[in-house]
Amino acid sequence: MENRWSSPFVRRLALREWLALFISLLALVAALGWQNGLGRLDQSLYDLFLSASSKPVRDDIIIVAIDDYSIAELGRWPWPRIHHAELINKINRAQPLAIGVDVILSEPETPDAQGQRSGDESLAAVLQRSQRTVLPVVMMSAGQGLIAGLPTPALAQATRALGHIDLEHDSDGVVRSVFLREGQHGVWWPHFAEALIAIGTGRNTKNTHHAAEPQIGMPDEWSRADQIHIPFESGIGQFPTVPYISVLRDEVPASFFQNKYVLIGATALGMADSYPTPVSGSSGAMPGIEIHANVLSALLNNHHITIPPAWKTALFNLMPVFMVLLGYLLLSPRLSLLGMAGWIFITLLASYLSLRAGMWLPPSAAILVLILSYPLWSWRRLEAAITYLGQEFIRLDSEPHLLPEPPAPKSKEVVDVLTQRISAMKRAARRVRDLRQFVSDSLDSLPDATLVTGIEGNIVLANRHAIEYCRLLGYPQVTGASILPILACLSTPKPLGQRFNTSFQWADLLDLQQAANLVDGIAVQDAQGHDLLIKSAPTYSSATLLTGWIVSIIDISTVRAAERSRDETLRFLSHDMRGPQASILALLELQQETSSALPLEELFARIEKASRRTLGLADNFVQLARAESDEYRLEEMDFHDLLFDAADEVWSLAKNKHITVEVDNAYDDCPVNVDRTLMTRALINLLSNAINYSPEHTTIHCAVTRQDQQIICSIRDQGYGIAPEDQARLFRRFQHMESPDLARHDGVGLGLVFVKTVVERHHGDINFTSAVGQGTTFTVLIPACPAV
């Protein structure tokens, strides 16, 4: 009973382990997914995906760079603001869509010797005329909190719009996002890029300094709203860029800025206006003006990256973990591993595609839990399997052994539990292999074709005799095939021991309800005319459950032939052998009556004839029995000598009918290795038949020739011939070739059977050609002795 319950116990244990793992891992991934990202891990994936999805930049965004070349030409920074006024004036003449100046102008310019600030005045005048320029607002720390760093009042009043240039730094210091609105005390400023778009599209920018309820922070604190992640178009230096000094010197045509967004900002290394970004690569940092260009491009393309609510991220990470855990329960370990790898790939791909579509779904929570899940599940499943298998192997090792085996050597080494179980498994596996080999050898040693099938008749084992026989029936692949189509190739199935009118189907052979009725087997014949006996026996498991069938195909052709020979012999004894003896007894009874007594001469003649007939029958039986035995005395001789001896023996018989027996005087040697007595008797039988079935005054022609490694002997008569309907039974026992036009002969029909037996036992062959009224030719083929 313990064996029956152990397997369900293991299954229930595995299900409980899976449910515990299922619930705990789903809870874990949900908690991690609710974090909306796992710090550096998801940030690294975000940067990797963003770097892999670079696109061509817009051609309507131009950067005028305050670069190292311009500083070398114009001198140390800061430059006189008259340069900024001149630059903006030159660009404004080209009719750009908007001009963004990313230069902090929160303090007045240092006055000259006369106390004038001509640069501020010139710049304010240019800004007033341009009405296309945006100046920056920056968040500053004043010692007691954050304040807005605005341009000087004159510049702020003259410019068309103000926009903040603050960037959001993540925990790793990388800039990935910005807030589109920032403000303090109820006053909000749009992002620098949004202010440029408002000018370029003709919106009223004077209302951008509006009061609103802050979404991040308290009313008296610095507040932020509308965060977006920047979909960086490409790496550093991809936007069209011209040096500051080149524009001042009119080296850039005015048409270059027409209908473009022009951003003026620092790219020089010493300006400290560079920040790490996801696409910075090995350069390490991207100038702030390029970051603003990417934000401007994203807003113009109406494409930016948003972060979904926490519940969406948790649901996104839950789905692959749920599917993989379900696969652990339903699939094999190999398929489960492949499924886990596949879902990791699908999760990464889905996260990448969602990022391309504008939504960042952090996948790290799912990836980490998936990687953790397989070792955990494998460990628990392996622990349960090892425990169960170890118990089973140890119990199997303690059971009696079916086959003899050498005693195991005793070891004094201290081994752990795992080693003990492995050793028990090795012994059990070896015994199973030995038992299977024993079963296979036992099957092959059986003299009959034997097949082992399942309950439905599918073949699982077959010995070599069965494989060879099925190949002859046209089934080269036996294992796995159904036995019923193979048996259907056999004809006239007849259950033994049943009534002659009993119906039978081959499926009955594999039916327990029919097993008792078919215990004697099924007698059939195959296409080659072999008599077969088909038997089946059920096989059971240790729990007495039907597991299959053992089907035996027994060739009983020899038994059937012996039975037919016995029947023919009995008929012969009851008729041919008793006939002459009965005649002798009848003659003796008649001789006792004076009225019916025969003359002594006639009486003796009839008794002699009957006795000679009986003696001839007995002699034929003896000769045939010797021909069918294994006691052949072989000797080498010339076949011509055998033929001459046979011709001499029938000379008197031929002379009585005035028949001439001619033997060709061939000079070729025809050596053969034969039993002289039996082969001579066979030739005598052929010549006697030729004489008996030929009319008087005819000729029988005999010839012996050698052809390659074969001796060919032909005996041709000019007799009556053999009718076509009699030719098929010519070499059968007790068959007489008779016709109303022919005289009756006293033969018993064993002569040609004897001839055929002798020739075939000498590895030869015999055939004939005959036509009614034209005679018969018998041809004997015997292997010649090899040349020395």
Side-chain angles (χ1 to χ4, degrees), residues 137-247:
V137 176
V138 63
M139 179 177 61
M140 302 174 63
S141 176
Q144 296 181 351
L146 297 176
I147 62 171
L150 298 173
T152 62
L155 297 179
Q157 185 66 29
T159 187
R160 173 72 178 273
L162 297 176
H164 78 84
I165 58 172
D166 295 328
L167 303 174
E168 177 66 12
H169 296 262
D170 289 336
S171 58
D172 58 352
V174 178
V175 174
R176 297 184 178 90
S177 63
V178 296
F179 287 89
L180 295 183
R181 289 193 300 145
E182 293 189 4
Q184 192 176 35
H185 305 299
V187 179
W188 291 75
W189 290 275
H191 187 269
F192 189 70
E194 218 179 37
L196 287 170
I197 294 175
I199 296 174
T201 56
R203 294 203 303 265
N204 185 5
T205 58
K206 290 301 182 181
N207 294 328
T208 56
H209 305 180
H210 61 280
E213 182 180 353
Q215 299 183 17
I216 299 179
M218 300 300 293
D220 293 333
E221 297 178 355
W222 192 268
S223 302
R224 294 176 169 183
D226 300 336
Q227 184 180 19
I228 65 168
H229 279 63
I230 308 169
F232 288 93
E233 302 290 343
S234 56
I236 300 173
Q238 300 299 315
F239 285 93
T241 304
V242 294
Y244 188 103
I245 188 63
S246 298
V247 180

Side-chain angles (χ1 to χ4, degrees), residues 45 49 316 343-353 363-364 367:
L45 288 174
F49 292 164
F316 170 76
W343 274 106
I344 289 177
F345 174 77
I346 291 172
T347 304
L348 292 173
L349 180 62
S351 179
Y352 171 75
L353 294 177
S364 295
I367 303 302

